[in-house]
């Protein structure tokens, strides 16, 4: 077997032992465009994410040491990181930068918030995030609901939101995040949250296909409560569990990829405030293996 | 045009000549004194602004004619009242321009580097028009028209000025453009006559006429003046003075870079973009009442200030003059500035050796020294008797004199002494569009492009001779759809090690420090650029070119923009995109179409009073939103708001 093949095998084995995987794409701002063959006009953030995940894994595999004195011991938490794509943030320059994070969570566990914030802070080696927007797990919008038709807004269950929001508030209390917000909330949901919350949402990020047709009541309300209405261009689901599982098969040849479930994806963007230039951008993904349910679909045969 | 404070009497060319070397020498010293101070500047933030030039048009509805109102200079003085009173936080600032029918407006404060600022540009432009409207008479309108279609035709001004021959206009000796239309600040008339005097004859602008079914062939005009008859070319529209060029309006913008290196980078990267934007913004197909075969003003202005003597133009052997000079002092730039662009400087550039020596001895790098020394091949054309001996430490008039009368597609501007303004780059090619929506769209597009260049570390550089070839193509009739332009194929480079590129796209092993060739490339080095259509350059084409707009959209997805700004920017990008595909017409093509389908047009290339009147009435209606023009642009959603 070639060195490459050896590394791939080590990667596969390490992955098979892991119950948690954390992938950091590194800074994709320039790299992403360098894939000349891959620059499509209509590339979505999903395409961008998948590409950068593939690259992170390739970079990780390429960096695996085959030195018999140094073979890595499989861990239950597998950390995959694109080593070449570092864009360190100079602490002296921190004030001139704006670090914004959009957090896509896959379930309603409040602890995901703290986990994600800690991961970003650790990976980027900073003290705090300037803004954190949470994109809650979507329930497909009811097509019968005329009110939601405009905004493609998820049906928001406030009782589920509240515990998560409390976590977000604690990240502000602890000084790790300056501004907290939500995504794709319609006026009613935003109002409900606003009324109840101790620390008010200061951002609502909505899909830009509607940016010229935002309902006036939402604009009005946002203006009154000083909520920034920002835009995003993400699909309703940035990466399905199925796509991620397919990725684990393709990229690492994982035996049991169907057991993987993404827990969260954090996209960070670092902007140079007064020059309008993007310093860096990247994704952090965390996934967990579903606890064994006895339902083992064998994708791999030893013999 | 920059206005310099003046003191003393303005000098005639023959009185300037003995001081030429002195002014040039001290101009360099002033630059160097400033330069030393500037190298130690702390980092500057992004600031930018636009300059829109306008004409005051008078509509004679009873007689169905249009004229240019010469009250512009006076109106400008009234507009400047607030500035004179030192009032703060003004919405806009006003400047006189070459012609008395023109005014130039800029935002009161430069825009900053925040995304939200993009939503203010159009609103500010609209407020400027409102401001001027207060001073207009009921039959006058303010229009951002690049060229007045009947400029130089009989009685085109209000008040009228009859011209019987060159003697009617002692300053310009023009047969068409009255001296009374030249702004009275002495700089302007003296520039006009000194250009003529240095050159040794009147300027001669010849623009190919559009040959329609009944246009005489050859098309020849006979004039009272023998000089005109000798200078006018058959099948061309002849124009004979500075007013035909500098009396046109355009859309300019200036950026402040964070330091000199970034300024050089932006200057270089925007140079190949100039011809593209010229073609896209084309708005001037009609000259002196005739349909021409060009869509933009560029060569008209180049000809209008061409002070080169016959020797310098290569028509006579060198005797009195030192060297032949390829271009007029108004034209595209001749060299790039940043270190790694040196290989692309493939035009032979004339240099003032004395200036270069001074600059190199002071430690300036080769490229910047060449740039300044090239500007210094031009003589000062205006000088005031009491402003010859200056304090070189603190005044930069002599530097500005020559710097500001080199009118080029880009201008590299050092910080003025004693101010907080940093290194700036001026983008100067774009034609003025009819509406604020369009003008704002073009301005915002360019600013976004600079952010994209800096964020993604893009590289548009290609041989500068190709940029010049593009400039020629850009002016052609319907260049935006018919012409192909050289453009760099691989703009996504630098900023990351080549090892990474290889890792991403192929599996070749690359050697350290050397660029591995991409799989599939032939033995010979592939060409760095390719001829592309405007559509490909702007909108992209799979496997050929990413496209400016897709790159900008990618950038926008990575920054935080508020809904209204995003909506506005989306509309602007749609406009540019559709102008590039041809779905929307350029203003120039639309005007041609309007003229050629008009019942009073007789297929002879003549744009008479009736046609011109209806054309401008329509232009005005479109600007005011009274009439929708789906050929120029759709129905944009206006989200632009002015924030105090």
């Amino acid at each position: 077997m070639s060195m490459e093949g050896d590394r791939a095998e080590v990667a596969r084995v390490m992955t098979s032992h892991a119950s948690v995987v954390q992938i950091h794409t590194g800074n994709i701002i320039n790299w992403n465009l360098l894939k000349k063959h891959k620059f499509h006009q209509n590339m979505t953030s999903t395409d961008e994410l998948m590409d950068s995940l593939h690259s992170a894994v390739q970079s990780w595999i390429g960096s695996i040491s085959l030195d018999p004195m140094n073979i890595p011991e499989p861990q239950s938490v597998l950390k995959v990181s694109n080593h070449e794509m570092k864009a360190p943030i100079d602490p002296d320059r921190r004030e001139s930068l704006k670090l914004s994070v959009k957090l896509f969570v896959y379930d309603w566990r409040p602890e995901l918030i703290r986990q994600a914030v800690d991961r970003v802070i650790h990976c980027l080696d900073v003290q705090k995030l300037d803004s954190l927007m949470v994109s809650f797990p979507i329930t497909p919008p009811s097509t019968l609901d005329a009110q939601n038709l405009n905004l493609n807004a998820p049906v928001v269950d406030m009782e589920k939101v509240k515990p998560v929001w409390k976590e977000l508030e604690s990240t502000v209390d602890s000084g790790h995040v300056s501004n907290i917000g939500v995504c794709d909330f319609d006026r009613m949901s935003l109002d409900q949250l606003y009324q109840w919350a101790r620390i008010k949402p200061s951002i609502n990020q909505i899909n830009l296909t509607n940016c010229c047709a935002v309902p006036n009541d939402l604009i009005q309300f946002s203006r009154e409560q000083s909520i920034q209405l920002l835009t995003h261009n993400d699909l309703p689901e940035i990466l399905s569990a199925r796509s991620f599982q397919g990725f684990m098969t393709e990229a690492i040849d994982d035996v049991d990829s169907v057991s993987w479930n993404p827990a969260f994806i954090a996209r960070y963007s670092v902007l140079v405030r007064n020059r309008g230039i993007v310093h860096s951008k990247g994704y952090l993904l965390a996934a967990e293996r579903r606890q064994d349910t006895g339902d083992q679909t064998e994708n791999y045969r030893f013999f | 045009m920059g206005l310099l404070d003046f003191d003393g009497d303005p000098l005639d060319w023959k009185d300037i000549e003995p001081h030429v070397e002195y002014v040039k020498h001290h101009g360099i010293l002033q630059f160097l004194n400033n330069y030393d101070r500037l190298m130690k500047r702390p980092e500057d933030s992004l600031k930018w602004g636009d300059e829109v030039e306008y004409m005051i048009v008078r509509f004679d509805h009873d007689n169905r004619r249009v004229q240019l109102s010469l009250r512009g200079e006076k109106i400008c003085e009234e507009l400047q009242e607030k500035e004179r009173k030192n009032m703060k936080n003004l919405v806009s600032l006003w400047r006189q321009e070459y012609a008395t029918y023109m005014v130039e407006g800029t935002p009161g404060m430069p825009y900053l580097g925040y995304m939200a600022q993009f939503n203010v540009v159009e609103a500010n432009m609209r407020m400027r028009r409102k401001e001027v409207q207060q001073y207009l008479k009921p039959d006058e309108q303010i229009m951002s028209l690049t060229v007045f279609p009947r400029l130089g035709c009989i009685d085109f001004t209000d008040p009228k000025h009859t011209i019987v021959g060159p003697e009617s206009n002692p300053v310009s000796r023009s047969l068409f453009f009255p001296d009374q239309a030249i702004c009275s600040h002495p700089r302007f008339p003296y520039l006009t006559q000194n250009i003529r005097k240095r050159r040794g004859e009147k300027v001669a602008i010849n623009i190919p006429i559009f040959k329609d079914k009944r246009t005489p062939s050859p098309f020849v005009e006979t004039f009272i003046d023998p000089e005109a008859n000798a200078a006018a070319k058959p099948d061309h529209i002849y124009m004979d003075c500075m007013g035909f060029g500098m009396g046109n309006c355009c859309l300019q913008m200036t950026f402040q870079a964070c330091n000199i290196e970034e300024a050089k980078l932006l200057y270089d990267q925007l140079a190949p973009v100039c011809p593209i934007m010229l073609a896209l913004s084309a708005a001037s197909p009609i000259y002196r009442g005739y349909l021409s075969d060009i869509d933009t003003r560029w060569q008209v202005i180049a000809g209008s200030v061409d002070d080169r003597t016959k020797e310098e133009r290569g028509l006579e052997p060198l005797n009195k003059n030192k060297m032949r000079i390829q271009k007029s002092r108004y034209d595209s730039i001749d060299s790039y500035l940043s270190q790694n662009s040196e290989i692309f400087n493939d035009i032979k550039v004339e240099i003032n050796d004395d200036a270069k020596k001074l600059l190199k001895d002071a430690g300036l790098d080769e490229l910047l020294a060449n740039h300044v020394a090239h500007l210094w091949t031009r003589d000062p054309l205006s000088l005031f008797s009491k402003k010859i001996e200056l304090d070189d430490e603190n005044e930069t008039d002599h530097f500005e004199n020559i710097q500001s009368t080199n009118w080029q597609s880009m201008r590299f501007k050092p910080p003025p002494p004693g101010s907080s303004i940093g290194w700036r780059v001026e983008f100067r090619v774009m034609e003025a569009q009819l509406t604020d929506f369009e003008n704002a769209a073009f301005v915002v597009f360019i600013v976004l492009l600079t952010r994209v260049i800096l964020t993604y570390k893009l590289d548009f550089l290609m041989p500068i001779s190709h940029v010049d070839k593009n400039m020629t193509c850009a002016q052609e009739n319907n260049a935006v759809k018919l012409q192909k332009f050289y453009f760099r194929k691989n703009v996504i480079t630098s900023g990351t090690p080549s090892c990474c590129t290889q890792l991403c796209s192929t599996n070749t092993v690359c050697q350290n420090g050397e660029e591995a060739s991409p799989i599939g490339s032939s033995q010979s080095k592939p060409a760095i650029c390719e001829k592309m259509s405007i559509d490909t350059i702007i909108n992209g084409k799979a496997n050929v070119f990413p496209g400016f707009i897709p790159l900008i959209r990618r950038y926008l997805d990575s920054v935080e923009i508020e809904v209204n700004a995003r909506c506005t920017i989306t509309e602007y990008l749609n406009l540019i995109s559709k102008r590039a595909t041809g779905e929307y017409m350029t203003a120039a093509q639309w005007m041609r179409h309007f003229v050629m389908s008009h019942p009073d047009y007789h297929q002879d290339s003549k744009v008479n009073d009736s046609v011109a009147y209806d054309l401008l009435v329509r232009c005005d209606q479109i600007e005011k939103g009274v009439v929708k023009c789906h050929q120029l642009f759709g129905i944009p959603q206006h989200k632009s708001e002015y924030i105090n």
Side-chain angles (χ1 to χ4, degrees):
Chain A
M1 246 205 288
S2 67
M3 294 245 283
E4 229 176 76
D6 282 344
R7 289 202 173 91
E9 184 61 17
V10 171
R12 192 186 60 73
V13 169
M14 285 177 72
T15 308
S16 66
H17 283 271
S19 54
V20 172
V21 66
Q22 295 170 339
I23 307 179
H24 179 198
T25 62
N27 174 27
I28 62 168
I29 241 332
N30 281 331
W31 161 86
N32 195 239
L33 293 188
L34 287 174
K35 294 188 82 170
K36 304 174 250 245
H37 314 301
K38 286 265 186 169
F39 186 89
H40 321 297
Q41 278 89 304
N42 298 316
M43 199 159 166
T44 61
S45 56
T46 303
D47 294 328
E48 178 183 73
L49 172 61
M50 281 301 281
D51 265 358
S52 38
L53 288 175
H54 271 284
S55 198
V57 167
Q58 276 186 301
S59 163
W60 167 64
I61 293 177
S63 74
I64 288 178
S65 165
L66 291 178
D67 175 0
M69 305 301 284
N70 224 343
I71 297 237
E73 191 60 31
Q75 308 272 340
S76 65
V77 175
L78 179 66
K79 297 194 184 196
V80 174
S81 164
N82 195 332
H83 295 287
E84 282 140 58
M85 293 302 174
K86 297 236 181 278
I89 294 173
D90 178 357
D92 292 332
R93 296 288 191 97
R94 177 67 182 87
E95 278 314 299
S96 68
L97 300 175
K98 183 162 194 224
L99 169 53
S100 310
V101 177
K102 178 169 178 177
L103 180 60
F104 302 84
V105 290
Y106 281 75
D107 60 62
W108 297 90
R109 283 176 284 158
E111 56 265 31
L112 289 181
I113 304 294
R114 191 43 88 164
Q115 277 178 33
V117 171
D118 286 345
R119 283 257 72 226
V120 176
I121 284 179
H122 173 79
C123 287
L124 298 185
D125 194 17
V126 292
Q127 312 291 338
K128 74 168 176 40
L129 317 181
D130 294 300
S131 72
L132 176 61
M133 292 159 277
V134 181
S135 180
F136 291 106
I138 52 147
T139 323
S142 161
T143 48
L144 300 171
D145 188 338
Q147 228 181 1
N148 283 335
L149 210 54
N150 276 345
L151 266 192
N152 218 19
V155 176
V156 180
D157 180 349
M158 283 310 297
E159 292 317 304
K160 287 192 167 160
V161 171
K162 287 175 182 175
V164 184
W165 191 258
K166 279 215 167 83
E167 268 303 299
L168 282 161
E169 288 172 339
S170 80
T171 63
V172 177
D173 290 333
S174 61
H176 290 108
V177 180
S178 302
N179 295 294
I180 47 179
V182 293
C183 301
D184 301 304
F185 268 37
D186 64 342
R187 185 210 170 279
M188 214 166 65
S189 311
L190 197 56
D191 195 351
Q192 284 180 333
L193 177 63
Y194 195 90
Q195 297 309 327
W196 169 84
R198 175 173 58 89
I199 298 178
K200 310 296 182 189
S202 50
I203 305 162
N204 181 20
Q205 199 195 56
I206 62 183
N207 192 290
L208 78 88
T209 39
N210 305 300
C211 67
C212 290
V214 179
N216 276 324
D217 61 350
L218 179 58
I219 297 190
Q220 187 70 352
F221 179 75
S222 307
R223 198 169 283 183
E224 282 161 11
Q225 312 302 355
S226 302
I227 299 173
Q228 262 197 307
L229 274 181
L230 300 179
T231 58
H232 72 80
N233 199 10
D234 301 312
L235 296 174
E237 192 176 27
I238 190 170
L239 187 69
S240 67
R242 202 185 171 117
S243 301
F244 181 69
Q245 288 155 10
F247 161 76
M248 289 303 277
T249 307
E250 233 179 273
I252 308 182
D253 198 18
D254 187 39
V255 190
D256 191 17
S257 36
V258 289
S259 65
W260 285 110
N261 284 322
F264 68 78
I265 295 178
R267 177 174 61 215
Y268 63 85
S269 183
V270 182
L271 185 73
V272 182
R273 276 184 206 271
N274 63 1
R275 290 175 61 219
I277 298 169
V278 183
H279 167 276
S280 54
K281 175 184 181 182
Y283 292 88
L284 279 119
L285 178 147
E288 300 154 341
R289 275 202 206 272
R290 193 173 48 233
Q291 297 302 347
D292 197 297
T293 57
D295 184 355
Q296 292 264 14
T297 358
E298 284 291 329
N299 288 332
Y300 179 80
R301 298 222 117 74
F302 188 73
F303 293 111
Chain B
M1 256 197 292
L3 274 177
L4 307 174
D5 284 328
F6 69 98
D7 199 2
D9 300 315
L11 298 180
D12 213 55
W13 172 242
K14 66 178 189 327
D15 298 320
I16 295 181
E17 253 190 298
H19 297 289
V20 162
E21 291 309 314
Y22 180 91
V23 169
K24 286 187 176 182
H25 181 80
H26 286 267
I28 296 290
L29 295 181
Q30 289 167 4
F31 171 77
L32 287 172
N33 287 338
N34 212 18
Y35 188 79
D36 282 334
R37 269 194 294 260
L38 301 178
M39 289 313 280
K40 301 168 200 127
R41 272 188 87 81
E43 231 175 63
D44 288 308
S45 58
L46 170 66
K47 287 189 185 174
W48 55 279
D50 62 87
E51 289 165 43
V52 184
E53 292 170 344
Y54 306 90
M55 300 182 180
I56 315 289
V57 176
R58 181 186 169 250
F59 287 85
D60 179 354
H61 297 289
D62 295 331
N63 295 309
R64 290 173 47 80
R65 319 181 56 207
V66 277
Q67 293 169 304
L68 285 168
S69 168
L70 301 187
R71 295 191 329 110
E73 189 179 341
K74 190 114 202 329
I75 291 174
C76 200
E77 272 169 30
E78 299 195 62
L79 288 164
Q80 290 174 317
E81 182 74 31
K82 293 182 192 157
E83 289 171 61
R84 279 193 293 274
K85 287 185 180 155
N86 267 325
M87 285 171 67
K88 301 286 169 217
N89 296 327
L90 294 173
V91 169
S92 40
L93 300 176
W94 298 96
R95 295 289 165 268
Q96 268 111 356
E97 259 304 328
Y98 179 82
T100 50
Y101 53 78
M102 285 169 80
V103 293
E104 178 186 281
T106 68
M109 291 290 295
Y111 299 116
L112 304 177
Y114 308 109
M115 293 297 136
Q117 295 271 268
F118 290 125
N119 211 27
V120 173
V121 179
E122 191 181 334
N124 183 284
M125 288 178 176
R126 275 190 259 129
M127 294 201 63
R128 277 179 242 173
R129 277 188 213 256
K130 274 214 180 81
E131 247 189 274
V132 175
Q133 247 135 27
Q134 297 167 43
Y135 300 101
L136 297 179
K137 292 188 178 160
D139 56 356
E140 288 173 340
Q141 300 295 345
I142 178 170
M143 300 182 76
S144 50
L145 202 59
T146 300
V147 174
F148 184 72
R150 286 187 63 78
L151 189 72
C153 298
I154 299 206
D155 294 339
F156 79 96
T157 60
D158 173 54
K160 304 197 267 224
H161 292 282
T162 315
I163 301 171
V164 296
E167 63 277 9
S168 304
N169 294 316
V171 171
S172 65
R173 291 189 62 80
S174 172
L175 300 177
F176 315 104
F177 192 98
D179 282 353
Q180 291 89 344
I182 306 176
C183 184
S184 63
H185 183 292
R187 175 185 158 88
F188 298 110
Y190 273 84
L191 260 176
T192 312
Q193 86 182 12
N194 289 341
I195 283 173
R196 180 169 59 75
K197 293 192 175 176
R198 185 187 186 280
R199 182 185 167 96
E201 56 189 3
K202 276 199 298 193
V203 295
I205 311 163
N206 279 291
I207 297 301
I209 195 166
F210 172 70
K211 285 290 190 75
D212 206 343
K213 295 198 182 77
R214 276 139 100 215
T215 314
S217 200
F219 168 81
V220 173
E221 287 180 294
T222 322
F223 303 105
I224 341 154
D225 174 34
E227 187 184 348
N229 287 325
K233 288 190 194 159
D235 289 337
H236 284 71
I237 306 164
Y238 168 72
M239 292 173 271
D240 66 357
C241 71
M242 189 169 171
F244 279 108
M246 290 303 186
N248 295 337
C249 294
C250 66
L251 177 65
Q252 291 176 175
M253 38 195 317
T254 304
F255 304 91
Q256 173 174 280
C258 72
N259 54 33
I260 190 177
E261 292 312 316
E262 190 180 89
K264 288 180 185 174
L265 185 123
L266 284 178
Y267 179 91
D268 286 355
Q269 294 302 333
L270 287 174
V273 177
C274 289
I276 313 304
M277 299 314 294
L278 184 58
L280 261 176
S281 65
S284 47
I286 307 169
Y287 296 93
R288 236 191 81 225
Y290 292 107
L291 267 179
S292 75
D293 217 7
I294 55 169
D295 273 355
T296 79
R297 76 205 188 284
W298 195 259
Q299 57 188 275
V300 176
I301 315 189
S304 75
V305 294
D306 192 357
D307 68 332
R308 291 176 299 161
T309 62
K310 281 202 163 81
E311 291 173 25
E312 288 168 330
R313 282 178 276 143
L315 300 174
E316 280 173 12
L318 287 176
N319 181 15
K320 211 173 152 255
N321 294 120
K322 289 191 195 136
M323 60 180 107
R324 283 194 57 182
I325 306 181
Q326 281 294 100
K327 292 179 177 171
S328 155
R329 59 200 296 158
Y330 181 105
D331 213 326
S332 47
I333 61 162
D334 291 311
S335 63
Y336 297 114
L337 294 177
S338 30
Q339 287 310 113
N340 32 329
S341 62
E342 192 151 14
I343 48 164
F344 297 118
N345 284 341
D346 64 338
I347 301 182
K348 185 159 186 343
V349 163
E350 306 92 359
I351 296 286
N352 177 322
D353 291 318
D354 295 331
K356 177 142 183 208
K357 183 165 192 317
L358 272 176
L359 294 164
K360 294 284 314 212
D361 287 348
L364 227 72
D365 68 274
E366 179 78 10
L367 287 151
L368 193 54
N370 278 341
H371 167 81
V372 179
H374 177 52
L375 300 178
W376 254 242
T377 53
R378 309 290 179 178
D379 292 339
L381 293 168
S382 90
L383 198 59
F384 292 90
S385 59
K386 291 205 182 137
K387 276 262 172 175
I388 301 179
E389 288 193 17
L390 303 172
D391 170 10
D392 290 340
E393 284 286 320
N394 295 306
E395 295 178 87
T396 51
D397 286 41
H398 291 329
F399 170 75
E400 283 301 329
N401 190 330
I402 299 179
Q403 159 93 324
S404 71
T405 53
N406 266 276
W407 294 281
Q408 296 185 308
S409 45
M410 304 283 307
R411 192 178 269 152
F412 184 72
K413 297 169 79 149
S419 96
S420 61
I421 301 172
W423 289 92
R424 291 150 300 152
V425 166
E426 215 183 320
F427 189 79
R428 298 166 49 85
V429 292
M430 296 193 289
E431 307 239 298
Q433 308 296 289
L434 295 176
T435 66
D436 293 325
F437 165 68
E438 296 164 286
N439 283 326
F442 276 91
V443 164
V444 167
F445 179 79
I446 296 293
V447 184
L448 284 172
L449 193 59
T450 62
R451 299 306 94 193
V452 163
I453 290 169
L454 292 173
T455 291
Y456 296 120
K457 300 185 178 33
L458 301 178
D459 192 351
F460 294 154
L461 295 190
M462 57 176 173
I464 202 154
S465 60
H466 281 359
V467 178
D468 269 359
K469 291 189 192 108
N470 286 349
M471 281 298 283
T472 310
C473 292
Q475 302 173 54
E476 297 288 312
N477 185 344
N478 210 7
V480 73
K481 284 194 85 174
L482 301 178
Q483 295 289 327
K484 293 261 195 287
F485 296 80
Y486 290 103
F487 214 82
R488 184 171 176 135
K489 282 192 298 195
N490 180 13
V491 297
I492 299 159
T493 62
S494 62
T496 50
S498 51
C499 288
C500 210
T501 322
Q502 302 320 309
L503 195 76
C504 299
S505 59
T506 68
N507 279 325
T508 50
V509 171
C510 84
Q511 291 140 337
N512 265 342
E514 231 187 288
E515 276 208 24
S517 49
I519 268 188
S521 78
S522 54
Q523 289 301 92
S524 59
K525 263 201 137 143
I528 200 167
C529 52
E530 193 176 283
K531 278 197 156 181
M532 304 178 204
S533 65
I534 296 281
D535 188 12
T536 301
I537 294 171
I538 296 290
N539 293 311
K541 192 172 182 181
N543 299 322
V544 176
F545 191 73
F548 289 173
I549 289 189
L551 285 164
I552 291 175
R553 288 203 214 275
R554 182 70 74 79
Y555 162 81
L556 292 172
D557 285 344
S558 307
V559 299
E560 286 190 338
I561 321 180
E562 203 253 329
V563 280
N564 285 341
R566 190 67 194 253
C567 172
T568 303
I569 292 174
T570 303
E571 295 290 350
Y572 293 162
L573 293 179
N574 281 339
L575 173 73
I576 307 286
S577 175
K578 292 183 178 178
R579 287 274 165 95
T581 60
E583 184 176 335
Y584 293 154
M585 289 183 172
T586 57
Q589 288 297 305
W590 176 79
M591 286 177 192
R592 280 184 193 279
H593 183 79
F594 185 95
V595 166
M596 290 170 79
S597 11
H598 194 285
D600 283 346
Y601 172 70
H602 309 301
Q603 299 181 311
D604 54 359
S605 314
K606 281 194 188 156
V607 179
N608 58 33
D609 277 318
S610 168
V611 177
Y613 169 81
D614 281 334
L615 174 63
L616 293 199
V617 164
R618 180 63 58 84
C619 288
D620 185 50
Q621 290 171 328
I622 292 173
E623 191 279 310
K624 291 185 161 60
V626 164
V627 161
K628 307 275 178 257
C629 183
H630 295 275
Q631 295 159 314
L632 275 178
F633 48 85
I635 304 179
Q637 318 248 10
H638 285 273
K639 297 286 178 190
S640 183
E641 296 175 76
Y642 189 71
I643 303 159
N644 237 317

